[in-house]
Amino acid sequence: MSALRPFLRLFRRHPWRLLLGVLLAIVTLLANIGLLALSGWFLAASSLAGLAGLYSFMLPAAGVHGAAIARTGARYFERLVSHDATFRVLQHLRVFTFSRLITLAPGQLAAFRQGDLLNRFVGDVDTLDHLYLRVIAPLAGAFAVIVMVTLGISLVDMRLALVLGGVMLATLVTMPPLFYRLGAPAGRAIALQRNEWRLRLTQWLSGQAELTLYGLSTPWRQQLNSDERRWQAAQYQQQRLQALSQSLLLLSGVTVTLLLWMSAGGLAHNTSHGALIALIVFCALAAFEALVPVAGAFLPLAQVVAAAERVNGIINQTPALAFPDASTLAAGSLAVAIDQVTFHYPQRSDAVLQAFSLHVRAGERVALLGPTGCGKSTLLALLARAWDAEAGSIELQNVALREWDEASLRQRISVVTQRVHLFNQTLRDNLRIAHPDASDARLSDVLRQTGLARLLEGEEGLNVWLGEGGRPLSGGELRRLAIARALLHDGDLWLLDEPTEGLDGATERHILARLLQATAGKTLIMVTHRLTGLDALDRICMMENGQIVEQGAHHELISKAGRYWHFQQRFAL
């Protein structure tokens, strides 16, 4: 239950709306009880008094009509207010959850499986709306009804009032905890199985091409069906308990029978009070309707608690990276100073970078070469502050990287990563994430510079829809679109990770020439396995096992016949 505390605190944002929703629910229940009780009393009294007493029953008739109108109006406004309050709380919850999510470092986010974050952010957050609509409001309404009904009937007969109130209060106190315990396994299973099924469905859909090629689509589908059956079995178990909880409300019939037996020797012998028996009976029947949602109110609570625990798994994480609020930094090219940096990835015992040092002058252009896994991409990630080094220091323009505020750091750096993400939006929208104010003319010019002029062909132009992950584009086109973003962003420090991977020779030379032109006077660090254009860079650094083993200009390293020379001999086309 402690997992619910952060979300219960969010209710303080809209206390009056939530309270008004509960009050309207109480009014609705009382109006329904009044309608049924007055109707029973009116009919019984009419039969006892005959036609001569019709005039005296005009007031009860008016009460019946008034209760019917009040019930309808209160029900409408209760739904309106309570759902509005719930949606407002969920809005704050989503904003609160997302605000904690975006502060997490990429390494923290990488701990979640594909689609898991979305399930937590959407499915689990939506599940939390049960907390008010199906638990808090029904419980508060039922308790208020018990008190009001007991006080009302006590004006007629104290014994009957105590019996009815006692039975209802005992039901309210015992049934929710009982069914919470009974339904806890099924509720948790529903929350977890739903997540597992959605994750497997996401993986099955995203990997459909590979699964089909290797003939594994059918086994994956069978496993998906198996997960769905387990999910449905948990739902079936919860529905059985829900039906059981409703059947136990047959206790209302036993209670009414008891009230009739108790009143038979008292009110029934008094003709003037005989109609009150009908009032009490119908009042008891209607009052028990307030316990109908309460009986199974705690059945979904275990599911709500499980969802809250999963959401807490996001919001309770301490951000691995902390940025200052603001920093004063000089404009212009950025010098990079990396001294004795050591870094391990989580769950890896070996260091990716070990006492690594590199100094890059402002405006210098450097290439990093070396075998896969030697730490080249990790170094760029540290410079972009996707991770923090465990030891050593990193400075940009003589200012420690930890002292840069995030807005300034992102503004001053242009990054091209190996994995290019495109949003399910238009070409224009995907480009403007790098420069929101760029004109269409500027966007079109950058596309032409990167050899993507064909994307502008046709009537749609920049409005062409790229689809999820940019499916209409090839790998090389995705890479060039990332370079187009970097050109639009035009930072002072360029970090390029395999920018020409997947490009043919002619396109690669064109892109490198454009990059060298765009980064003239700016600092550039480029990770590559390709040999094209390296002679145009100021320095080449050969890396092995997380350290620089050789560095210098192209002509210097070639003349040494060292590692770079062997690299050239091995990979030269």
Side-chain angles (χ1 to χ4, degrees):
M1 291 293 186
S2 60
L4 298 176
R5 290 175 185 170
F7 311 108
L8 290 173
R9 285 195 290 267
L10 290 176
F11 290 167
R12 300 175 185 174
R13 292 177 175 266
H14 302 287
W16 300 113
R17 280 188 172 86
L18 295 170
L19 180 60
L20 180 58
V22 172
L23 292 176
L24 287 171
I26 295 172
V27 171
T28 302
L29 291 171
L30 292 177
N32 188 58
I33 294 171
L35 174 62
L36 195 58
L38 285 174
S39 298
W41 179 42
F42 179 66
L43 293 174
S46 298
S47 65
L48 291 173
L51 296 176
L54 286 179
Y55 178 80
S56 62
F57 295 118
M58 293 300 294
L59 183 60
V64 170
H65 289 292
I69 295 172
R71 182 185 65 170
T72 303
R75 172 63 66 188
Y76 171 78
F77 287 107
E78 182 268 331
R79 295 294 184 186
L80 185 67
V81 172
S82 61
H83 282 78
D84 176 70
T86 301
F87 289 147
R88 289 176 184 270
V89 171
L90 288 178
Q91 174 191 357
H92 292 303
L93 176 58
R94 288 192 178 96
V95 172
F96 174 67
T97 305
F98 189 73
S99 66
R100 299 301 297 269
L101 181 64
I102 61 176
T103 62
L104 301 181
Q108 293 174 288
L109 297 178
F112 297 95
R113 289 183 293 171
Q114 183 182 14
D116 192 22
L117 280 177
L118 183 61
N119 284 331
R120 296 185 189 220
F121 185 66
V122 178
D124 292 330
V125 169
D126 285 346
T127 301
L128 292 172
D129 68 357
H130 294 322
L131 191 58
Y132 174 74
L133 292 176
R134 298 183 62 181
V135 179
I136 296 176
L139 284 175
F143 180 76
V145 165
I146 292 173
V147 173
M148 298 294 290
V149 167
T150 303
L151 291 176
I153 295 181
S154 68
L155 299 176
V156 179
D157 189 300
M158 180 59 71
R159 293 183 310 147
L160 301 180
L162 292 177
V163 170
L164 178 59
V167 172
M168 293 184 66
L169 186 61
T171 303
L172 180 66
V173 171
T174 58
M175 287 191 67
L178 172 64
F179 280 94
Y180 170 70
R181 288 184 175 276
L182 293 176
R188 295 187 65 86
I190 288 174
L192 298 178
Q193 291 295 335
R194 176 186 62 192
N195 176 64
E196 290 296 326
W197 184 82
R198 288 177 174 175
L199 287 176
R200 185 167 291 276
L201 177 63
T202 302
Q203 294 172 348
W204 181 64
L205 292 174
S206 60
Q208 189 60 228
E210 288 78 5
L211 292 174
T212 302
L213 287 173
Y214 292 102
L216 294 176
S217 181
T218 299
W220 269 72
R221 177 58 186 269
Q222 291 172 349
Q223 183 61 49
L224 184 64
N225 292 339
S226 177
D227 291 343
E228 185 176 13
R229 283 192 293 269
R230 286 195 294 270
W231 181 19
Q232 290 174 341
Q235 295 179 72
Y236 177 70
Q237 177 64 22
Q238 189 177 72
Q239 291 302 315
R240 289 183 61 186
L241 290 172
Q242 184 73 35
L244 178 61
S245 70
Q246 300 303 311
S247 67
L248 290 181
L249 286 179
L250 293 174
L251 182 64
S252 62
V254 177
T255 305
V256 168
T257 303
L258 178 61
L259 293 177
L260 284 171
W261 178 76
M262 293 178 63
S263 62
L267 293 175
H269 293 294
N270 191 331
T271 305
S272 61
H273 292 166
L276 293 177
I277 297 178
L279 183 145
I280 294 173
V281 168
F282 281 98
C283 180
L285 289 173
F288 268 95
E289 290 187 12
L291 296 178
V292 171
V294 172
F298 276 38
L299 276 176
L301 188 58
Q303 184 178 345
V304 173
V305 172
E309 291 173 349
R310 286 169 47 77
V311 176
N312 282 332
I314 299 175
I315 64 179
N316 289 341
Q317 289 195 63
T318 301
L321 305 178
F323 291 87
D325 294 333
S327 56
T328 304
L329 303 161
S333 300
L334 300 177
V336 178
I338 305 172
D339 290 304
Q340 299 297 309
V341 165
T342 298
F343 179 77
H344 293 76
Y345 281 109
Q347 300 178 348
R348 277 189 59 176
S349 58
D350 56 320
V352 182
L353 295 174
Q354 184 68 50
F356 180 91
S357 296
L358 173 66
H359 290 255
V360 181
R361 301 183 305 274
E364 186 178 11
R365 294 182 286 198
V366 176
L368 299 178
L369 278 73
T372 300
C374 67
K376 305 184 298 299
S377 298
T378 299
L379 180 62
L380 297 191
L382 292 175
L383 287 172
R385 210 167 174 217
W387 302 84
D388 271 341
E390 301 164 14
S393 65
I394 301 177
E395 294 182 354
L396 298 183
Q397 205 63 16
N398 299 319
V399 177
L401 191 59
R402 294 174 183 266
E403 297 178 10
W404 282 67
D405 67 281
E406 188 170 13
S408 298
L409 183 65
R410 305 304 174 212
Q411 182 183 4
R412 301 286 295 277
I413 298 179
S414 291
V415 182
V416 175
T417 60
Q418 289 189 37
R419 296 183 178 180
V420 183
H421 181 79
L422 292 190
F423 295 91
N424 189 21
Q425 293 179 306
T426 64
L427 177 59
R428 179 188 291 104
D429 294 331
N430 273 283
L431 288 172
R432 278 187 172 171
I433 66 170
H435 193 329
D437 300 325
S439 64
D440 285 357
R442 172 63 176 152
L443 299 180
S444 300
D445 182 56
V446 167
L447 289 174
R448 294 187 184 95
Q449 293 177 32
T450 53
L452 295 174
R454 79 161 191 86
L455 297 181
L456 298 173
E457 299 173 356
E459 298 180 358
E460 294 181 319
L462 291 170
N463 293 320
V464 63
W465 199 264
L466 294 184
E468 189 71 30
R471 291 193 184 95
L473 304 181
S474 66
E477 288 172 327
L478 285 172
R479 190 58 54 91
R480 280 180 282 168
L481 198 56
I483 294 172
R485 286 174 173 171
L487 292 172
L488 286 168
H489 190 64
D490 197 23
D492 298 315
L493 171 63
W494 288 57
L495 305 176
L496 309 180
D497 195 351
E498 304 285 359
T500 59
E501 186 69 24
L503 303 182
D504 60 83
T507 304
E508 180 182 22
R509 288 188 292 272
H510 169 76
I511 293 297
L512 284 176
R514 182 65 191 93
L515 286 173
L516 292 175
Q517 179 184 355
T519 58
K522 299 184 177 183
T523 309
L524 168 69
I525 300 178
M526 181 174 67
V527 170
T528 183
H529 286 97
R530 316 272 290 201
L531 302 177
T532 304
L534 295 183
D535 55 343
L537 301 181
D538 300 312
R539 189 169 20 142
I540 299 168
C541 299
M542 292 295 302
M543 292 182 60
E544 287 183 9
N545 300 321
Q547 293 182 332
I548 294 178
V549 295
E550 187 178 62
Q551 59 180 313
H554 171 76
H555 63 277
E556 295 174 353
L557 297 179
I558 285 293
S559 62
K560 291 181 180 179
R563 286 182 171 84
Y564 178 68
W565 182 85
H566 287 289
F567 193 85
Q568 283 273 353
Q569 298 301 312
R570 181 180 178 184
F571 291 101
L573 298 178

